[in-house]
Structures are given as C-alpha cells and as structure tokens.
Amino acid sequence: MRISTAQFISNGAQAITDQQADLVKTQSQMSSGLAVLTPSDDPLAANLILKFEQEITISERYIEIGGAAEGLVSLEETTLNSMTDLLNRIRDLMISGGNGNYSQLDRQAIAEEVQALLDEAIGLANTQTASGEYLFSGFQLLTQPYTMDATGAVIYNGDQGQRTARVNDSVVLATSDPGYDIFDNVLNGNGIIQIFDEPTNTGTGVIDPGSVNTANYTDETYTISFVTNSDDELAYNVFDSAGTQIIPAPPLDPVLDAVTYTEGEDIIINNEVTTNITGTPSDTANANNPNPLYGDFFTIAPSSKQSVFVTIQNAVDALLLPQNNESEQAEFQNAMNRVLMDIDRNMENIDRIRSSLGARLNAIQNEIYVNQDLIIAISIDLSRVRDLDYVEATTRLTAQITSLEAAQASFARVQNLSLFNFL
C-alpha cells in the first residue's frame, strides 16, 4: 500500500493531538480530584455518581426535617413540663388553703395566686414556635388555640389534627399534639366516676372520691339520700337514674328500712362503686333532692370531660367559698376534694402525652443518626467511584508525558524524510 508524505504527517499529527488530549484530561482530573469529569468518560460510573449524590441529598433533607421535628417536640415537652410544674403549684396551694387555721382573707390571697396561674396556663397553651405558629392548635397553625369569652370560659379554637414529619423513607412521626387532647379531653373525678355533694345540703357530710369495680360498672348514675328510718336513726337509701331502688334492696321500704348511717363505713352500690361519708348529713327535706321528702344527698355519676382551665377555675371558686358554719365547711371540703382529684387527672393526662413525646424524641434522634450514618456509607461508595486515585493518575501522567515527547520527537524526524534530501 502506498502511503504519501501528507498521510505520514497527518497520522503523526493526529497521534500527537490524541496524546495531548489524554494528557489534558489527566491534568484536569488531578486538578479537580475527580475520576469522572463528564458522563461520556464512564457512563456506568456517571449513573452511580448521580444516584449516590441524590441519596445523600435526600438523607440531608431528612436530617434537616428531623432537626425541625426535634425542635418542635422539644418545645412541646418543655411547655408541658412547665404546665406540670404549674399544676403542682396549684395542688400545693389547694392543700395549704385547706388548712383550718387559714382565714377567709388568707384563702382569698391564695385564690388570687391561683387565678394568676390560670392566666399563665392559658399562655402556655398558646405557645408559639419561633416562626410564629401556634404549637397546640392542630392544623390551624395561625389560629390562637385558646381564648376567653365574655363569660370567662376558655374556648378551644383549633382542631384535632396532629402534625407529622417524614424523617425517613418509611418513618413518619408526630411533631405536635392538639391542645384538645392535652388540656380538654380529660375525664374528671377518678377517670371513671365523679362524686359530688349538693350545694343546698345543710349537714356536714363529706363524701369520699370513691373507687370503682371496673368489671361491673355500667356507667350508671346513683343518688345517696339521707332520711330517718323506722328506728328513728339517720339512714340512707340509694336510687339509680331511672328511680330504681338499689339500697335497701327491694321489697324493703326505701325510708322505713333505710340503712342506718355509720360515719366512715363503706357504702357499696351494686358491687360497682364503693364510697363512704364522714360528718353528719342532714335528713331535713331538701327541695333539690329528686325526692323532696329526703334530706341531704350526694350524686355518683360517670366521669365527664373537663378542661384543665375549668379545673383551675373550680379551684379558685372553691377557695372563695365561705366557711361561716360547719355546713359551709363541709361544702368547702367536698369542693376541695373534687378539685384535687381533677388536678390529678389533668396531670396524669399530661404525663401520658409527655411519655409519648419522649418516645417520639428518641425515634427522631435515632432517624437522624441513621441518616447521618447512611450519608457516611454512601459518601464512601461515592468517593470510590467519583474520586481520583492520585497514585494511578500520577503514574499515568508520567507515561503520557513520555509518550507525547516520544511522539513529538519521532514526528520531527519523520516529517524530514524526503527523496529530495538525497539528490
């Protein structure tokens, strides 16, 4: 095959150009530290690099979301800790207020402090995040959850939505709780029953908060009424909400055969509820009694939902009750017992939420650690595919320089070959 001089020169120049291109590529790799500069360098590696970078970006986003979620949960936990401290303070004040040596002025001063604590409790329930969103308003982020109406009642304006955050591909965790679940959705009494006296009672009876046999309790309402029985003794009978006689058991007469009252003795109703009464209830006819022929009465009813703000206001009202005689003192003691029970229920509910917050906080932190570890692992794989091996690149660069110098030298000699040099 005949090869012309022009072809010699063209091939030699192309070889030098190719080697220069390889040398430039190696120099660019060494200056950037990257083994793959363009997808065409290694399509498979380029795809892996893109995949790894996307996974790192996603994990970084999850870490960012987790950090924000951690902040919200921590803020709620701090706020509920403050609410618990506030309720403990009110409880201590109520116990102090029950001291028989305190005057009405002393109790009024305590009531004023409890009233101030009510305002503080509303402020805690209206806690806002750094961005101005309300923590306890459910999905209504910009709606103040609690306001007071013209009657002084505290109203919940939010909804029952629970905000969440996705902190990993398959992990979604709650970042807040609606105020309704924390401060309103609380059963009063002992959580099953509530026991209260009638304000128009004229005796000195104080009823125990009672206990419940949950296996038998049927959500019934009972009334314990006091009468004088056939033995001319102070006695009691019990009817349910339908007027059915429970004690004494039928067919005994509810008045003549009423059970003789013994102070502090257990009153067991249908093997469902057990309570006792201290002091001396009155058997004088009470017009507010379901049966006006009976005297003082006490009601046992299923627990109902009562907000923490109502409980605190009840504490204020109880402290302001007059105690000018033994009957008023008994009414005061009954009110104090109810408030203390209701405070305990509110604290139990807040403790339940706080336990949930602790579990959520641990889960969020664990997912942050998982994503951080994942970024480290992916970064190692990414480095293996994307980053340059400087030892190999240096060796390759030296070889390329040598090859280029040799090509340039041989090209110089070849291009001088011509028959005319021998003429």
Side-chain angles (χ1 to χ4, degrees):
M1 181 178 66
R2 182 177 179 274
I3 299 177
S4 67
T5 300
Q7 191 173 357
F8 264 122
I9 294 174
S10 176
N11 289 343
Q14 184 61 50
I16 292 173
T17 300
D18 292 341
Q19 292 188 17
Q20 286 176 330
D22 291 339
L23 182 60
V24 169
K25 178 181 176 181
T26 302
Q27 288 176 318
S28 297
Q29 288 175 324
M30 294 185 71
S31 62
S32 66
L34 302 177
V36 180
L37 298 175
T38 63
S40 61
D41 292 341
D42 188 337
L44 177 59
N47 285 334
L48 286 174
I49 290 170
L50 180 60
K51 174 177 176 293
F52 292 150
E53 288 177 339
Q54 288 174 338
E55 290 177 350
I56 289 174
T57 299
I58 291 171
S59 293
E60 288 174 339
R61 178 57 178 159
Y62 282 143
I63 290 174
E64 181 181 347
I65 294 172
E70 184 178 16
L72 287 173
V73 174
S74 296
L75 177 60
E76 181 175 345
E77 186 176 45
T78 299
T79 303
L80 295 189
N81 284 343
S82 297
M83 185 67 82
T84 297
D85 292 341
L86 183 149
L87 290 175
N88 271 320
R89 174 59 181 164
I90 293 175
R91 199 179 197 288
D92 291 342
L93 289 171
M94 295 300 290
I95 293 172
S96 297
N99 189 324
N101 295 324
Y102 277 31
S103 68
Q104 189 66 32
L105 287 177
D106 293 331
R107 287 191 293 276
Q108 183 174 343
I110 295 174
E112 290 174 357
E113 181 175 349
V114 175
Q115 184 68 58
L117 290 172
L118 172 58
D119 295 337
E120 184 178 339
I122 295 172
L124 288 172
N126 286 328
T127 295
Q128 292 175 275
T129 66
S131 61
E133 297 174 348
Y134 288 98
L135 186 62
F136 298 115
S137 59
F139 293 143
Q140 309 301 313
L141 305 182
L142 301 180
T143 300
Q144 182 174 321
Y146 288 96
T147 54
M148 189 176 289
D149 66 14
T151 67
V154 180
I155 307 300
Y156 181 61
N157 305 302
D159 58 33
Q160 297 183 42
Q162 186 175 48
R163 288 170 247 173
T164 60
R166 183 176 294 278
V167 294
N168 217 328
D169 286 344
S170 58
V171 180
V172 178
L173 296 171
T175 59
S176 69
D177 295 279
Y180 177 82
D181 286 349
I182 304 172
F183 307 118
D184 296 276
N185 192 23
V186 184
L187 293 173
N188 60 9
N190 65 9
I192 302 174
I193 60 170
Q194 53 179 322
I195 299 182
F196 46 92
D197 62 316
E198 166 58 34
T200 58
N201 286 352
T202 58
T204 61
V206 176
I207 190 165
D208 182 79
S211 60
V212 182
N213 181 347
T214 55
N216 294 335
Y217 185 57
T218 57
D219 288 343
E220 183 54 84
T221 297
Y222 299 104
T223 302
I224 304 173
S225 299
F226 284 83
V227 295
T228 298
N229 63 16
S230 59
D231 295 326
D232 200 30
E233 296 175 329
L234 179 64
Y236 65 89
N237 55 40
V238 178
F239 287 85
D240 65 17
S241 58
T244 303
Q245 179 182 325
I246 307 299
I247 299 176
L252 296 176
D253 186 89
V255 175
L256 298 179
D257 297 319
V259 178
T260 299
Y261 167 69
T262 301
E263 183 175 5
E265 184 177 84
D266 282 348
I267 299 174
I268 302 174
I269 304 173
N270 270 355
N271 198 28
E272 295 181 20
V273 177
T274 301
T275 186
N276 66 75
I277 297 172
T278 57
T280 306
S282 172
D283 59 357
T284 302
N286 188 329
N288 285 343
N289 196 307
N291 186 333
L293 297 177
Y294 300 152
D296 288 358
F297 67 100
F298 301 85
T299 303
I300 301 171
S303 293
S304 58
K305 293 178 181 179
Q306 178 175 298
S307 80
V308 66
F309 310 109
V310 171
T311 296
I312 297 174
Q313 185 60 57
N314 288 345
V316 174
D317 296 341
L319 288 164
L320 295 177
L321 287 172
Q323 296 188 51
N324 298 317
N325 52 54
E326 290 185 347
S327 177
E328 289 180 347
Q329 291 169 4
E331 182 183 359
F332 168 77
Q333 192 59 59
N334 280 311
M336 295 288 281
N337 289 345
R338 285 195 301 275
V339 168
L340 289 173
M341 286 285 291
D342 293 343
I343 288 175
D344 288 345
R345 295 294 77 72
N346 279 280
M347 292 176 66
E348 285 177 3
N349 189 59
I350 290 174
D351 285 344
R352 176 184 64 83
I353 299 291
R354 287 173 59 193
S355 296
S356 172
L357 290 174
R360 279 183 249 164
L361 196 57
N362 288 336
I364 290 170
Q365 291 171 342
N366 286 339
E367 291 305 321
I368 290 175
Y369 297 147
V370 166
N371 282 298
Q372 289 173 338
D373 291 342
L374 186 60
I375 288 175
I376 292 173
I378 296 174
S379 296
I380 292 173
D381 290 337
L382 177 61
S383 176
R384 176 176 52 80
V385 176
R386 182 191 62 186
D387 295 346
L388 184 67
D389 181 346
Y390 276 95
V391 174
E392 183 276 332
T394 301
T395 302
R396 176 159 38 91
L397 179 66
T398 302
Q400 288 171 339
I401 291 173
T402 301
S403 296
L404 179 59
E405 289 174 345
Q408 290 171 334
S410 64
F411 179 74
R413 296 185 64 183
V414 168
Q415 72 175 345
N416 289 325
L417 293 177
S418 174
L419 292 175
F420 293 102
N421 292 333
F422 299 97
L423 295 177

